[in-house]
Amino acid sequence: MNLFDYISDRASKLWLEAYLHTSMVVQCTILAAVLGVLIGVAVYRSPIGSAVATALASTILTVPSFALLGLLIPLSGLGPTTAVIALVLYGLLPIVRNTIVGLDGVDPAITDAARGIGMSRFGVLTRVELRLAWPAILTGMRVATQMLMGIAVIAAYAKGPGFGAEVFSGLTNAGSTNSLNQAVTGTVGVVILALLLDGVYVLIKRFTISRGVRG
């Protein structure tokens, strides 16, 4: 069976795997964004806090995917929960770092002017600082999404959903009839999904950031 026959014969299964892979990555990116922005907001005024938060997030990223999944499996078992925890942890670094950089880059004169017209500290943060930091935060989310697309394949080791099962099955059964088709289909599928989601980020950037800021 050639590659095209394999894809045609298993189209419904591959569509489901594509949906599950995309859904898991998008949901994990959103969770990582919520946590990452909260962490960034909490520490960006403190150089020591910013350095510690960035260092901790960087440390997580240095742990190999298989090792992190192996550490999480005894705690949360096999399945989507372990995959989601691992992906959220891996997605934190670019979002935390870009949130800190974005908030730190806001011109103090702008925040002083906002306070001068009577805005509260919370109002300055949510209506001025976070809005000005949004391009940097969005870039962090974009980088995190691309990272998680690839790492989600490894999550199949913990029975996570998506194209990882296709790739792992192909590699495990190397030499069998459809092993190459499985590995190629899973790998190319992840690349296509990554490109599609990157296109979504281009649209989000276009509609949420003014042309002058986009440059």
Side-chain angles (χ1 to χ4, degrees):
M1 180 182 290
N2 62 40
L3 180 61
F4 295 106
D5 289 337
Y6 176 82
I7 294 173
S8 175
D9 190 54
R10 293 164 174 76
S12 59
K13 178 174 179 283
L14 295 174
W15 277 116
L16 177 62
E17 289 177 342
Y19 167 75
L20 293 174
H21 198 101
T22 305
S23 176
M24 181 171 66
V25 169
V26 170
Q27 291 182 61
C28 290
T29 302
I30 292 172
L31 285 172
V34 172
L35 287 174
V37 170
L38 287 175
I39 294 171
V41 167
V43 303
Y44 82 100
R45 288 183 178 278
S46 164
I48 295 176
S50 298
V52 170
T54 304
L56 288 176
S58 300
T59 301
I60 295 171
L61 201 59
T62 62
V63 179
S65 307
F66 279 111
L68 182 59
L69 290 169
L71 292 171
L72 289 174
I73 286 173
L75 302 175
S76 51
L78 293 171
T81 302
T82 297
V84 167
I85 294 172
L87 292 185
V88 170
L89 290 175
Y90 279 125
L92 281 177
L93 175 60
I95 298 173
V96 170
R97 185 169 56 193
N98 278 34
T99 300
I100 293 171
V101 170
L103 290 172
D104 199 43
V106 176
D107 189 342
I110 296 176
T111 56
D112 289 342
R115 292 192 190 96
I117 61 173
M119 291 181 68
S120 64
R121 177 70 192 91
F122 183 74
V124 172
L125 173 66
T126 56
R127 297 172 63 183
V128 178
E129 291 177 305
L130 281 176
R131 289 189 179 188
L132 292 174
W134 172 241
I137 296 172
L138 185 64
T139 299
M141 292 176 63
R142 189 174 181 175
V143 172
T145 301
Q146 298 303 312
M147 283 171 43
L148 298 189
M149 264 293 169
I151 297 174
V153 173
I154 309 298
Y157 173 70
K159 304 297 181 186
F163 276 130
E166 201 74 23
V167 175
F168 267 74
S169 180
L171 296 177
T172 303
N173 301 313
S176 63
T177 306
N178 285 317
S179 60
L180 182 60
N181 289 335
Q182 287 179 305
V184 171
T185 301
T187 304
V188 173
V190 170
V191 172
I192 292 173
L193 291 179
L195 292 174
L196 290 175
L197 278 184
D198 202 54
V200 172
Y201 274 105
V202 172
L203 293 176
I204 293 174
K205 181 179 180 181
R206 183 179 181 83
F207 289 112
T208 62
I209 301 174
S210 65
R211 183 178 298 177
V213 175
R214 289 201 306 268

